[in-house]
Amino acid sequence: MKKWQREIACRFDGEGDATPAVPNAEAAAYEAAIRQLREGAKHALRRPEIADAQFPSFMEGIRESIEAPRRHHRGFWAVLSLSTAALLVALSAFLVFSSGPDKAVTTQVEAATTEIPGATVEKYTNEDGTAVVWVSTAQRDLL
Amino acid sequence: MSVTGVAILLVALVGGADQGFEQPVTISMVAVQATKENRPAGEKSFGAGLEAFRSSLEKLPFDTFKKVKSDKASAAPNKEARFPITARYTLSLTPLSKDTEGRVRVKVWVEEKVERDGKKVVRKAVDTTAALVPGEHLLLGGPSMDEGRLVIFIAVEK
């Protein structure tokens, strides 16, 4: 920056000598350029305002943002947490129902046959809980 | 806790269906002859040593019960134990495995000696596989014995 330009800038801001150091066309153009720059800067610093005509659109935007459903994040960790919780519930249920004192363990007949010709075999549990395998034969067995 | 860890734990718990079964078990048996003696209605006779089996025997369509044989023996896993009852019948039993609920799986059969075409042969009058709760009885019955029927109680002792 030249000395005469600095003097013009100071004078424009209200500082320094009131008389132009170099009163010519070049200085006048420079001063005009500074004025235009300062006016533009003032305009840029102006705070945004919502005019009355813009307010309905502004509120409509806010309403849409509030009412819009949230995005669901079904990521890996969410699925992992759910799986772990399900497995823990299953494990707890298994331990409770497999070792509970109320579980009835009874004698169980898996299979029953006979080689007596014409005889039949039945398996059942009688009234006192005893497992029974009974062979029914004819009065005289067939040999 | 990771999913893998929980899964491994579950598999380990569910997978142990048959526990290790290496020790012999003690088997007790009581053989009974059941007959119809035409006693008055509702009257039933139980011979000595059958008190523990009365509730099971009185459900059978006979009125007289007599103990024929009682015995007890140690049976090793997958080894056959034999209990001769009479000249005609022999009880055989083989422990197979033990399940997670403490039941002992056994193969049990009653051999019967009969004559067929002039030759003595052996057949299985009863052949069964069962999972026995220690202390509970399994009743095998039905084969003819003189004028009555053979009834056998088998138990794995606790």
Side-chain angles (χ1 to χ4, degrees):
Chain A
M1 179 180 276
K2 294 177 181 176
K3 185 180 178 184
W4 61 271
Q5 288 176 328
R6 192 178 298 115
E7 287 174 356
I8 289 173
C10 289
R11 183 163 50 83
F12 190 85
D13 291 334
E15 300 172 0
D17 195 350
T19 57
V22 185
N24 55 25
E26 189 178 10
Y30 181 70
E31 187 174 340
I34 288 177
R35 183 175 290 106
Q36 188 176 7
L37 184 65
R38 297 292 169 92
E39 286 298 321
K42 284 180 184 175
H43 206 70
L45 287 173
R46 193 174 64 188
R47 303 183 72 175
E49 293 176 359
I50 300 171
D52 290 345
Q54 294 172 316
F55 194 75
S57 298
F58 172 72
M59 286 305 296
E60 184 65 24
I62 290 176
R63 196 175 296 116
E64 285 177 0
S65 298
I66 292 173
E67 293 175 356
R70 285 187 173 185
R71 289 182 60 193
H72 296 285
H73 299 282
R74 298 184 184 277
F76 171 76
W77 290 110
V79 174
L80 186 67
S81 300
L82 192 63
S83 303
T84 305
L87 280 170
L88 286 173
V89 170
L91 176 64
S92 302
F94 174 79
L95 291 176
V96 167
F97 290 113
S98 67
S99 60
D102 295 332
K103 189 177 181 182
V105 180
T106 57
T107 291
Q108 188 174 9
V109 176
E110 298 175 5
T113 59
T114 180
E115 292 178 358
I116 299 173
T120 58
V121 181
E122 59 178 324
K123 51 182 183 176
Y124 60 91
T125 302
N126 67 15
E127 294 168 11
D128 70 345
T130 302
V132 177
V133 176
W134 193 263
V135 179
S136 297
T137 62
Q139 195 64 28
R140 296 181 61 185
D141 294 338
L142 300 171
L143 300 177
Chain B
M1 184 183 294
S2 71
V3 176
T4 308
V6 175
I8 289 171
L9 183 60
L10 274 175
V11 169
L13 287 170
V14 176
D18 276 351
Q19 295 177 336
F21 182 51
E22 298 171 354
Q23 298 299 317
V25 292
T26 301
I27 307 294
S28 63
M29 60 80 67
V30 173
V32 179
Q33 182 191 35
T35 55
K36 289 182 180 177
E37 304 289 341
N38 295 319
R39 296 177 184 277
E43 183 182 315
K44 296 201 174 191
S45 172
F46 299 91
L50 298 180
E51 294 79 12
F53 309 102
R54 185 170 178 142
S55 64
S56 294
L57 291 171
E58 65 187 4
K59 307 287 189 306
L60 300 176
F62 304 94
D63 58 18
T64 303
F65 302 93
K66 186 174 70 176
K67 188 168 82 172
V68 177
K69 178 83 179 281
S70 64
D71 201 354
K72 186 184 290 186
S74 177
N78 297 306
K79 300 289 184 185
E80 182 181 334
R82 294 175 66 83
F83 301 87
I85 299 170
T86 63
R88 183 178 176 185
Y89 290 109
T90 298
L91 172 68
S92 292
L93 183 148
T94 302
L96 300 174
S97 62
K98 196 170 191 178
D99 67 20
T100 53
E101 291 162 331
R103 293 183 299 194
V104 179
R105 287 185 70 243
V106 294
K107 182 173 177 57
V108 186
W109 66 100
V110 178
E111 291 181 355
E112 180 184 14
K113 293 175 183 170
V114 294
E115 278 195 15
R116 183 181 298 165
D117 301 329
K119 296 178 181 176
K120 287 187 177 179
V121 295
V122 176
R123 67 186 180 188
K124 290 180 177 176
V126 188
D127 186 6
T128 185
T129 301
L132 305 182
V133 174
E136 289 188 4
H137 288 102
L138 170 67
L139 189 159
L140 304 181
S144 62
M145 175 178 260
D146 299 329
E147 298 303 315
R149 299 288 173 172
L150 173 64
V151 177
I152 305 171
F153 289 93
I154 302 162
V156 174
E157 295 201 344
K158 289 183 179 178

